[in-house]
Amino acid sequence: MPTNNPLFSMLMTAMLFGATAVLADVTPTQRPGQAAISSAHELATEAGFEILQAGGNAFDAAVAVSAALAVVEPESSGIGGGGFWLMHRAEDGFSTMVDGRETAPAAATGDMYLDENGEFVRERSINGPLAAGIPGAPAAWVHITEHYGRLRLEQNLAPAIRLATDGFGVDEKYVMLMGWRGEVMLQWPETAAIFLPNGQDLNVGDRIVQPDLAATLERLAEHGFDGFYRGTTAERLVEGANAEGGIWRLDDLADYQVIEREPITIQYDEYRLLTAAPPSSGGIAIAQILNLIEPYDWPALSRTDQVHLLAESMRRAYRDRSLYLGDPDFSDIPVQRLISPDYADGLRSTMRLDRALPSSFLAADPDLIEESNNTTHFSLIDADGNIVSATLTVNLPFGAAFAPPGTGVLLNNEMDDFAAAPGEPNAYGLIGFAANAIEPGKRMLSSMSPTIVLGPERVAVLGTPGGSRIITMVVLGILDFFDGHGPHSWVSKPRFHHQYLPDEILLENDALTDQQIEDLESRGHEVTLRERPWGNMHGVMWNRANGTLEAAHDPRWTSGGADVRTIDASHTVD
Ligand code: GLY
């Protein structure tokens, strides 16, 4: 078992449950009394606390943080993107995943990114409006506010509207990622005028003011769903997208629907993990990896053995991801089979402690392109013990790098998360087949893995951006939590990753010693050191035994905001 407690044994079952019924037995019995928020930007964290102080609950605050991130971290998520909001309600133990994933437009076709010779043309699936799915984020904000919040939408969106109107100074991450995507954005002068106000001469601290986005947010605040998906905003989005090669129709927007999904629930001894359901691959892959390592006497293993076994488990989970996973509303995903311990037993019979199994025994060998720190995650607990773990994205940094004129809505390029051609790797080197083929109205497969771990004493809330590496980062964070550590440790732990193809273990610089790397190589692993670290994990922990909250942001980036505060109990909801 991956824990230092030798009694921490067996009982590794992974099942899908009816959310309400199952979670009643782990409902927190006491309130934290304080609130904790960790997000990728201190202004977004402030927006969340502002809403809590105004009488909002965690779900209101989650809307405020999401909308603020859309303004101040446009490289990672936005009103033109989507995400998954995993939520746990304290009063009755109810948990749900709000799926605001983008959908393929009705005019999308399986060959839309292929040229006349049937060759995949990557630029089409990542740059400009043809790359964009129909946004889900604004519908999710409306849905969460209406069904779970205590405040009005206009209150929850007020901090974001203020930030868009007043502007914010760009940080190091924004500048670095614009260095990659700026060339593409400069093709569209109206978009570049917003996000690159001085052309390519962009420096930390330069101010980005977004009046069009403020007006779009105001229409959403005033009219709810219709304020974005119908009327002025919808018309401008469709007209602007299609003028530059998009295929959107007004009905694509009007027909968009948020879906609530039962989280993948994994019972791990005394811990209950709630994590992302399809169309995310995250929860299933996390369950598979934990199932695969479960029988090993973890404390007795060397560090090299642990990394080897985790890499072998990751390899198999990512193989299954590519073969089986996609939008559950379009194909039958064998969820129960994939997350069952019996299935893991079978897979484990192909694992050896002394040798790596080459992925080439199983499929072709695509290349992985440079990873980026797009996508964003925040973790949040309010004073009553309501919890939100949310991972949001526009896919690559600054999404499609295009905003339809007069909207300020930077479109996502989430269509690249579909398998554009069977076995063709996406921007993260991930391959896929029929279950994730492009179809009108379908949600593209994701790796986003917002996670909540409910224990009798400690509760962990965590997640991270990082494309294909999200899942393995979350697994490493969960294992660290099982080992008794808090969020400062989860977010800073050195990372390693295997994703089946390409067949290599990726390492952050300080993850292993030279000797450990040599040992892994002698077992047949290719080990690749990445100079740049990856991920941007944000975690909070509630220790119910001693009544404390902790919040931590990833030290790899400077702009994160993590704090624990007492919320003034005298606040009122107007
Ligand atoms: N676009 C990244 C993901 O959804 O996994």
Side-chain angles (χ1 to χ4, degrees):
M1 294 291 299
T3 170
N4 289 326
N5 177 358
L7 297 176
F8 196 76
S9 63
M10 307 312 294
L11 267 180
M12 179 62 189
T13 53
M15 297 172 279
L16 268 178
F17 292 101
T20 310
V22 160
L23 295 173
D25 63 327
V26 288
T27 301
T29 50
Q30 75 265 43
R31 302 168 73 244
Q34 291 185 303
I37 304 177
S38 178
S39 87
H41 204 292
E42 54 192 2
L43 293 173
T45 296
E46 279 307 322
F49 280 118
E50 178 182 326
I51 289 303
L52 292 176
Q53 286 292 0
N57 60 17
F59 313 120
D60 293 302
V63 172
V65 174
S66 305
L69 285 170
V71 177
V72 300
E73 202 200 16
E75 70 272 26
S76 298
S77 72
I79 191 169
F84 301 125
W85 290 257
L86 182 66
M87 316 201 309
H88 178 73
R89 192 167 55 201
E91 65 184 21
D92 58 0
F94 173 77
S95 295
T96 188
M97 184 183 93
V98 174
D99 171 357
R101 185 70 164 162
E102 300 90 333
T103 53
T109 58
D111 60 0
M112 63 191 282
Y113 300 119
L114 307 184
D115 67 13
E116 55 284 0
N117 301 317
E119 297 293 323
F120 175 56
V121 185
R122 153 121 301 121
E123 287 67 35
R124 293 187 193 163
S125 74
I126 61 174
N127 298 334
L130 190 63
I134 303 303
W141 303 343
V142 174
H143 181 93
I144 292 168
T145 302
E146 287 179 351
H147 290 85
Y148 297 99
R150 299 175 62 199
L151 302 187
R152 296 187 310 276
L153 185 62
E154 64 183 274
Q155 292 173 288
N156 291 340
L157 296 183
I161 293 171
R162 204 173 55 233
L163 288 165
T165 305
D166 297 349
F168 71 98
V170 301
D171 59 26
E172 177 202 0
K173 181 158 71 71
Y174 183 110
V175 173
M176 191 194 95
L177 294 174
M178 189 58 93
W180 177 16
R181 297 291 284 158
E183 284 284 328
V184 179
M185 192 175 279
L186 285 166
Q187 288 176 48
W188 295 291
E190 285 196 51
T191 306
I194 304 169
F195 298 101
L196 275 165
N198 306 316
Q200 271 171 319
D201 181 22
L202 182 72
N203 297 295
V204 172
D206 283 357
R207 261 190 122 57
I208 304 294
V209 183
Q210 302 174 75
D212 284 343
L213 177 58
T216 295
L217 284 164
E218 273 164 3
R219 282 190 291 275
L220 178 67
E222 191 178 348
H223 302 292
F225 181 92
D226 286 357
F228 185 91
Y229 292 88
R230 293 190 174 94
T232 305
T233 302
E235 285 157 16
R236 287 184 190 169
L237 287 171
V238 170
E239 193 184 327
N242 294 353
E244 295 297 327
I247 53 169
W248 286 17
R249 298 173 185 163
L250 286 170
D251 280 351
D252 289 331
L253 287 157
D255 292 346
Y256 183 85
Q257 287 187 344
V258 169
I259 299 175
E260 288 203 30
R261 308 211 185 251
E262 292 173 1
I264 295 283
T265 303
I266 308 161
Q267 187 66 37
Y268 203 100
D269 196 57
E270 77 221 58
Y271 294 105
R272 180 154 289 158
L273 276 74
L274 309 174
T275 183
S280 174
S281 56
I284 291 173
I286 288 168
Q288 283 191 276
I289 293 166
L290 292 178
N291 274 340
L292 282 164
I293 60 172
E294 185 271 335
Y296 295 98
D297 182 6
W298 210 250
L301 296 172
S302 68
R303 176 78 175 140
T304 312
D305 288 343
Q306 292 178 348
V307 174
H308 166 74
L309 289 171
L310 275 166
E312 288 301 299
S313 304
M314 292 168 181
R315 181 202 305 281
R316 285 155 179 80
Y318 278 81
R319 190 277 306 265
D320 284 355
R321 178 194 194 280
S322 70
L323 285 180
Y324 300 117
L325 301 191
D327 184 340
D329 299 329
F330 280 73
S331 35
D332 280 336
I333 312 286
V335 178
Q336 301 287 5
R337 175 159 71 87
L338 292 174
I339 66 176
S340 83
D342 290 346
Y343 179 72
D345 289 346
L347 273 187
R348 200 183 308 104
S349 66
T350 65
M351 279 164 59
R352 286 172 50 170
L353 194 55
D354 62 334
R355 286 303 296 168
L357 176 78
S359 296
S360 58
F361 281 25
L362 305 164
D365 191 11
D367 298 324
L368 181 72
I369 73 161
E370 188 60 27
E371 178 64 22
S372 62
N373 278 290
N374 48 293
T375 307
T376 195
H377 177 87
F378 67 86
S379 297
L380 196 162
I381 301 184
D382 72 14
D384 292 319
N386 297 306
I387 301 170
V388 180
S389 180
T391 312
L392 320 172
T393 190
V394 285
N395 199 27
L396 295 186
F398 300 96
F402 169 76
T407 67
V409 177
L410 197 54
L411 299 187
N412 67 82
N413 58 3
E414 222 72 57
M415 292 294 284
D416 189 63
D417 274 349
F418 280 117
E424 184 69 47
N426 74 357
Y428 302 105
L430 291 167
I431 61 169
F433 296 95
N436 191 31
I438 300 172
E439 292 181 64
K442 188 174 180 180
R443 284 158 150 86
M444 55 296 286
L445 186 61
S446 172
S447 299
M448 294 188 289
S449 310
T451 296
I452 299 169
V453 189
L454 300 163
E457 292 195 346
R458 298 180 308 139
V459 172
V461 189
L462 71 161
T464 179
S468 58
R469 293 175 218 169
I470 290 173
I471 296 164
T472 56
M473 283 186 266
V474 172
V475 166
L476 297 180
I478 291 169
L479 294 178
D480 200 46
F481 171 69
F482 286 161
D483 275 348
H485 301 294
H488 289 92
S489 174
W490 323 330
V491 300
S492 30
K493 268 229 139 12
R495 293 167 180 151
F496 59 91
H497 171 80
H498 196 298
Q499 63 175 45
Y500 169 56
L501 294 173
D503 189 351
E504 63 183 357
I505 299 177
L506 290 183
L507 288 185
E508 280 190 329
N509 249 337
D510 45 358
L512 291 177
T513 64
D514 288 348
Q515 184 59 54
Q516 288 166 334
I517 292 172
E518 264 180 46
D519 288 349
L520 286 168
E521 286 171 342
S522 72
R523 294 180 202 200
H525 289 287
E526 185 170 327
V527 180
T528 306
L529 218 59
R530 306 294 278 205
E531 295 219 334
R532 275 225 317 264
W534 64 79
N536 195 9
M537 183 172 278
H538 293 89
V540 303
M541 186 174 83
W542 173 20
N543 188 328
R544 287 188 279 187
N546 64 19
T548 57
L549 283 173
E550 281 177 62
H553 69 78
D554 201 312
R556 291 164 182 79
W557 298 99
T558 53
S559 46
D563 206 358
V564 175
R565 292 189 197 163
T566 301
I567 304 300
D568 179 3
S570 66
H571 58 229
T572 51
V573 181
D574 46 299

